Amino acid sequence: MARSKDKSNSASRSPLVLDQYPPYLFHLITSHLNNRLLDRMRPHGVTVQRWRVLMVLMNGDGRTMTDLVRMTLIAQPAVSRVIDQMERGGLVERRVAERDNRIVEVFLTQHGRDTYWKIAPDAERHGIDMLAGFNASERKQLSELLRRVLDNVSQGPAAAEEE
């Protein structure tokens, strides 16, 4: 009986409107941004995942694999593969942490730093292009709103329901 009730309720409801559904819009934005970024990175021989690692390490060298997973949003097995590839390419090196020899940290090599600085202008242009037509006030407001969205989604579903 509950099944037929569900069918009648769903028949009278409208579907979510895609161009007004934030998760769908975020997915489209992310997909387009990653594809365009990959186009910019390809001539440098760098993938989007490698660029994320380069950026994280340039903003704080000596990260653990756990840090890299959390900060790059790349799954653990994929981060390990990316670091292996980057190490073979001379971009990063692993070192045992001075504070605890059970911990391995990842550091940029000089070649990794040089590669970062070679790519940085294209990455900066990528960020500028995505906000074309936004004035300074709109860019600031967008950043604030996106940080609030990030806070909401990183707290999990229970936090959003409480408000």
Side-chain angles (χ1 to χ4, degrees):
M1 195 181 272
R3 249 177 144 44
S4 63
K5 199 176 206 180
D6 287 344
K7 284 183 180 177
S8 65
N9 284 343
S10 65
S12 65
R13 294 180 8 206
S14 298
L16 296 170
V17 179
L18 285 178
D19 67 355
Q20 295 173 10
Y21 185 57
Y24 179 72
L25 294 173
F26 279 117
H27 172 71
L28 289 178
I29 291 166
T30 301
S31 293
H32 287 296
L33 281 173
N34 283 340
N35 288 337
R36 288 186 177 175
L37 182 59
L38 182 58
D39 288 344
R40 290 177 189 265
M41 300 291 115
R42 193 172 281 128
H44 302 286
V46 174
T47 65
V48 172
Q49 290 181 331
R50 288 181 192 176
W51 173 244
R52 286 188 203 158
V53 171
L54 286 170
M55 281 184 40
V56 166
L57 293 176
M58 279 300 290
N59 282 273
D61 218 0
R63 304 286 186 173
T64 65
M65 294 300 274
T66 302
D67 291 339
L68 291 172
V69 167
R70 181 178 48 81
M71 297 176 81
T72 63
L73 298 177
I74 303 169
Q76 176 69 48
V79 163
S80 294
R81 281 192 304 275
V82 168
I83 296 302
D84 288 344
Q85 294 164 355
M86 292 177 76
E87 194 169 33
R88 283 192 301 272
L91 297 170
V92 300
E93 63 183 11
R94 292 178 170 108
R95 295 186 213 151
V96 173
E98 291 179 12
R99 68 186 184 287
D100 186 339
N101 64 5
R102 296 169 296 174
I103 298 173
V104 174
E105 297 171 324
V106 180
F107 291 82
L108 286 172
T109 62
Q110 187 57 51
H111 177 57
R113 290 179 192 289
D114 293 344
T115 299
Y116 172 88
W117 287 115
K118 195 182 316 176
I119 297 170
D122 286 337
E124 185 176 26
R125 180 86 247 153
H126 181 66
I128 291 168
D129 289 350
M130 76 176 222
L131 297 177
F134 286 70
N135 64 38
S137 173
E138 290 169 328
R139 287 191 303 272
K140 182 180 179 197
Q141 182 181 20
L142 178 62
S143 287
E144 290 167 359
L145 293 170
L146 290 173
R147 286 182 205 286
R148 284 175 48 197
V149 170
L150 181 59
D151 287 344
N152 288 343
V153 298
S154 59
Q155 292 174 14
E161 290 171 6
E162 290 173 7
E163 291 182 4

